[in-house]
PDB file of all heavy atoms in Angstrom:
ATOM      1  N   LEU T1222     -22.209   4.566 -20.813  1.00 47.00           N
ATOM      2  CA  LEU T1222     -21.808   5.737 -21.592  1.00 47.00           C
ATOM      3  C   LEU T1222     -22.942   6.196 -22.495  1.00 47.00           C
ATOM      4  O   LEU T1222     -23.602   5.391 -23.134  1.00 47.00           O
ATOM      5  CB  LEU T1222     -20.594   5.408 -22.456  1.00 47.00           C
ATOM      6  CG  LEU T1222     -19.221   5.392 -21.788  1.00 47.00           C
ATOM      7  CD1 LEU T1222     -18.179   4.953 -22.792  1.00 47.00           C
ATOM      8  CD2 LEU T1222     -18.875   6.749 -21.223  1.00 47.00           C
ATOM      9  N   ASP T1223     -23.184   7.483 -22.533  1.00 48.00           N
ATOM     10  CA  ASP T1223     -24.078   8.084 -23.511  1.00 48.00           C
ATOM     11  C   ASP T1223     -23.194   8.551 -24.657  1.00 48.00           C
ATOM     12  O   ASP T1223     -22.548   9.596 -24.583  1.00 48.00           O
ATOM     13  CB  ASP T1223     -24.827   9.265 -22.882  1.00 48.00           C
ATOM     14  CG  ASP T1223     -25.776   9.934 -23.860  1.00 48.00           C
ATOM     15  OD1 ASP T1223     -25.602   9.747 -25.077  1.00 48.00           O
ATOM     16  OD2 ASP T1223     -26.675  10.652 -23.401  1.00 48.00           O
ATOM     17  N   TYR T1224     -23.115   7.770 -25.717  1.00 43.00           N
ATOM     18  CA  TYR T1224     -22.143   8.042 -26.773  1.00 43.00           C
ATOM     19  C   TYR T1224     -22.459   9.313 -27.562  1.00 43.00           C
ATOM     20  O   TYR T1224     -21.648   9.786 -28.327  1.00 43.00           O
ATOM     21  CB  TYR T1224     -22.037   6.842 -27.714  1.00 43.00           C
ATOM     22  CG  TYR T1224     -21.373   5.664 -27.053  1.00 43.00           C
ATOM     23  CD1 TYR T1224     -22.117   4.567 -26.633  1.00 43.00           C
ATOM     24  CD2 TYR T1224     -20.006   5.672 -26.801  1.00 43.00           C
ATOM     25  CE1 TYR T1224     -21.502   3.500 -26.000  1.00 43.00           C
ATOM     26  CE2 TYR T1224     -19.389   4.619 -26.171  1.00 43.00           C
ATOM     27  CZ  TYR T1224     -20.140   3.529 -25.776  1.00 43.00           C
ATOM     28  OH  TYR T1224     -19.536   2.471 -25.139  1.00 43.00           O
ATOM     29  N   VAL T1225     -23.667   9.865 -27.380  1.00 42.00           N
ATOM     30  CA  VAL T1225     -24.013  11.113 -28.053  1.00 42.00           C
ATOM     31  C   VAL T1225     -23.498  12.300 -27.272  1.00 42.00           C
ATOM     32  O   VAL T1225     -22.863  13.212 -27.792  1.00 42.00           O
ATOM     33  CB  VAL T1225     -25.534  11.238 -28.253  1.00 42.00           C
ATOM     34  CG1 VAL T1225     -25.870  12.606 -28.848  1.00 42.00           C
ATOM     35  CG2 VAL T1225     -26.039  10.123 -29.155  1.00 42.00           C
ATOM     36  N   ASN T1226     -23.714  12.279 -25.947  1.00 45.00           N
ATOM     37  CA  ASN T1226     -23.387  13.432 -25.122  1.00 45.00           C
ATOM     38  C   ASN T1226     -22.067  13.303 -24.375  1.00 45.00           C
ATOM     39  O   ASN T1226     -21.462  14.299 -24.009  1.00 45.00           O
ATOM     40  CB  ASN T1226     -24.510  13.681 -24.099  1.00 45.00           C
ATOM     41  CG  ASN T1226     -25.817  14.032 -24.758  1.00 45.00           C
ATOM     42  OD1 ASN T1226     -25.846  14.807 -25.701  1.00 45.00           O
ATOM     43  ND2 ASN T1226     -26.902  13.444 -24.274  1.00 45.00           N
ATOM     44  N   ASP T1227     -21.642  12.087 -24.141  1.00 47.00           N
ATOM     45  CA  ASP T1227     -20.494  11.894 -23.258  1.00 47.00           C
ATOM     46  C   ASP T1227     -19.150  11.797 -23.977  1.00 47.00           C
ATOM     47  O   ASP T1227     -18.132  12.185 -23.443  1.00 47.00           O
ATOM     48  CB  ASP T1227     -20.675  10.623 -22.416  1.00 47.00           C
ATOM     49  CG  ASP T1227     -21.634  10.856 -21.261  1.00 47.00           C
ATOM     50  OD1 ASP T1227     -22.058  12.014 -21.097  1.00 47.00           O
ATOM     51  OD2 ASP T1227     -21.953   9.893 -20.553  1.00 47.00           O
ATOM     52  N   VAL T1228     -19.131  11.262 -25.171  1.00 48.00           N
ATOM     53  CA  VAL T1228     -17.855  10.939 -25.791  1.00 48.00           C
ATOM     54  C   VAL T1228     -17.317  12.056 -26.671  1.00 48.00           C
ATOM     55  O   VAL T1228     -16.127  12.232 -26.794  1.00 48.00           O
ATOM     56  CB  VAL T1228     -17.981   9.634 -26.608  1.00 48.00           C
ATOM     57  CG1 VAL T1228     -16.670   9.288 -27.289  1.00 48.00           C
ATOM     58  CG2 VAL T1228     -18.402   8.502 -25.694  1.00 48.00           C
ATOM     59  N   ASN T1229     -18.188  12.835 -27.280  1.00 49.00           N
ATOM     60  CA  ASN T1229     -17.752  13.812 -28.268  1.00 49.00           C
ATOM     61  C   ASN T1229     -17.197  15.075 -27.612  1.00 49.00           C
ATOM     62  O   ASN T1229     -17.890  16.065 -27.440  1.00 49.00           O
ATOM     63  CB  ASN T1229     -18.925  14.171 -29.201  1.00 49.00           C
ATOM     64  CG  ASN T1229     -19.435  12.956 -29.958  1.00 49.00           C
ATOM     65  OD1 ASN T1229     -18.651  12.119 -30.364  1.00 49.00           O
ATOM     66  ND2 ASN T1229     -20.735  12.861 -30.116  1.00 49.00           N
ATOM     67  N   PHE T1230     -15.934  15.010 -27.236  1.00 51.00           N
ATOM     68  CA  PHE T1230     -15.263  16.145 -26.611  1.00 51.00           C
ATOM     69  C   PHE T1230     -14.653  17.014 -27.705  1.00 51.00           C
ATOM     70  O   PHE T1230     -13.911  16.541 -28.550  1.00 51.00           O
ATOM     71  CB  PHE T1230     -14.175  15.652 -25.664  1.00 51.00           C
ATOM     72  CG  PHE T1230     -13.456  16.746 -24.932  1.00 51.00           C
ATOM     73  CD1 PHE T1230     -13.924  17.210 -23.719  1.00 51.00           C
ATOM     74  CD2 PHE T1230     -12.296  17.297 -25.457  1.00 51.00           C
ATOM     75  CE1 PHE T1230     -13.246  18.203 -23.038  1.00 51.00           C
ATOM     76  CE2 PHE T1230     -11.617  18.298 -24.784  1.00 51.00           C
ATOM     77  CZ  PHE T1230     -12.103  18.754 -23.566  1.00 51.00           C
ATOM     78  N   ASN T1234     -17.812  21.430 -27.258  1.00 52.00           N
ATOM     79  CA  ASN T1234     -18.486  20.514 -26.339  1.00 52.00           C
ATOM     80  C   ASN T1234     -17.466  20.023 -25.320  1.00 52.00           C
ATOM     81  O   ASN T1234     -16.984  18.904 -25.367  1.00 52.00           O
ATOM     82  CB  ASN T1234     -19.071  19.325 -27.103  1.00 52.00           C
ATOM     83  CG  ASN T1234     -19.842  18.386 -26.186  1.00 52.00           C
ATOM     84  OD1 ASN T1234     -20.304  18.778 -25.123  1.00 52.00           O
ATOM     85  ND2 ASN T1234     -19.984  17.140 -26.612  1.00 52.00           N
ATOM     86  N   ASN T1235     -17.075  20.914 -24.392  1.00 51.00           N
ATOM     87  CA  ASN T1235     -16.004  20.596 -23.453  1.00 51.00           C
ATOM     88  C   ASN T1235     -16.488  20.376 -22.031  1.00 51.00           C
ATOM     89  O   ASN T1235     -15.717  20.417 -21.093  1.00 51.00           O
ATOM     90  CB  ASN T1235     -14.928  21.687 -23.468  1.00 51.00           C
ATOM     91  CG  ASN T1235     -15.519  23.080 -23.255  1.00 51.00           C
ATOM     92  OD1 ASN T1235     -16.534  23.222 -22.575  1.00 51.00           O
ATOM     93  ND2 ASN T1235     -14.893  24.087 -23.846  1.00 51.00           N
ATOM     94  N   ARG T1236     -17.777  20.142 -21.860  1.00 51.00           N
ATOM     95  CA  ARG T1236     -18.301  19.836 -20.532  1.00 51.00           C
ATOM     96  C   ARG T1236     -18.936  18.454 -20.487  1.00 51.00           C
ATOM     97  O   ARG T1236     -19.916  18.222 -19.805  1.00 51.00           O
ATOM     98  CB  ARG T1236     -19.343  20.900 -20.118  1.00 51.00           C
ATOM     99  CG  ARG T1236     -18.722  22.265 -19.838  1.00 51.00           C
ATOM    100  CD  ARG T1236     -17.646  22.199 -18.777  1.00 51.00           C
ATOM    101  NE  ARG T1236     -17.134  23.498 -18.416  1.00 51.00           N
ATOM    102  CZ  ARG T1236     -16.010  23.697 -17.730  1.00 51.00           C
ATOM    103  NH1 ARG T1236     -15.283  22.673 -17.359  1.00 51.00           N
ATOM    104  NH2 ARG T1236     -15.604  24.914 -17.431  1.00 51.00           N
ATOM    105  N   VAL T1237     -18.375  17.532 -21.256  1.00 51.00           N
ATOM    106  CA  VAL T1237     -18.885  16.174 -21.261  1.00 51.00           C
ATOM    107  C   VAL T1237     -18.403  15.434 -20.015  1.00 51.00           C
ATOM    108  O   VAL T1237     -17.528  15.903 -19.297  1.00 51.00           O
ATOM    109  CB  VAL T1237     -18.420  15.428 -22.522  1.00 51.00           C
ATOM    110  CG1 VAL T1237     -18.980  16.096 -23.761  1.00 51.00           C
ATOM    111  CG2 VAL T1237     -16.893  15.387 -22.587  1.00 51.00           C
ATOM    112  N   ASN T1238     -18.986  14.269 -19.771  1.00 54.00           N
ATOM    113  CA  ASN T1238     -18.614  13.490 -18.596  1.00 54.00           C
ATOM    114  C   ASN T1238     -17.506  12.481 -18.889  1.00 54.00           C
ATOM    115  O   ASN T1238     -16.759  12.095 -18.011  1.00 54.00           O
ATOM    116  CB  ASN T1238     -19.825  12.729 -18.053  1.00 54.00           C
ATOM    117  CG  ASN T1238     -20.839  13.660 -17.428  1.00 54.00           C
ATOM    118  OD1 ASN T1238     -20.464  14.670 -16.843  1.00 54.00           O
ATOM    119  ND2 ASN T1238     -22.113  13.345 -17.573  1.00 54.00           N
ATOM    120  N   ASN T1239     -17.448  12.010 -20.126  1.00 56.00           N
ATOM    121  CA  ASN T1239     -16.502  10.951 -20.457  1.00 56.00           C
ATOM    122  C   ASN T1239     -15.850  11.181 -21.803  1.00 56.00           C
ATOM    123  O   ASN T1239     -16.408  11.804 -22.690  1.00 56.00           O
ATOM    124  CB  ASN T1239     -17.207   9.588 -20.513  1.00 56.00           C
ATOM    125  CG  ASN T1239     -17.917   9.258 -19.232  1.00 56.00           C
ATOM    126  OD1 ASN T1239     -17.302   9.183 -18.192  1.00 56.00           O
ATOM    127  ND2 ASN T1239     -19.222   9.054 -19.311  1.00 56.00           N
ATOM    128  N   ILE T1240     -14.646  10.634 -21.932  1.00 59.00           N
ATOM    129  CA  ILE T1240     -13.969  10.611 -23.222  1.00 59.00           C
ATOM    130  C   ILE T1240     -13.372   9.218 -23.394  1.00 59.00           C
ATOM    131  O   ILE T1240     -12.796   8.670 -22.462  1.00 59.00           O
ATOM    132  CB  ILE T1240     -12.825  11.646 -23.297  1.00 59.00           C
ATOM    133  CG1 ILE T1240     -13.366  13.063 -23.139  1.00 59.00           C
ATOM    134  CG2 ILE T1240     -12.068  11.516 -24.614  1.00 59.00           C
ATOM    135  CD1 ILE T1240     -12.276  14.119 -23.114  1.00 59.00           C
TER     136      ILE T1240
END
Side-chain angles (χ1 to χ4, degrees):
L1222 281 176
D1223 180 341
Y1224 290 105
V1225 175
N1226 297 317
D1227 282 355
V1228 179
N1229 299 322
F1230 182 89
N1234 183 23
N1235 53 30
R1236 290 303 185 195
V1237 297
N1238 290 326
N1239 303 300
I1240 298 176

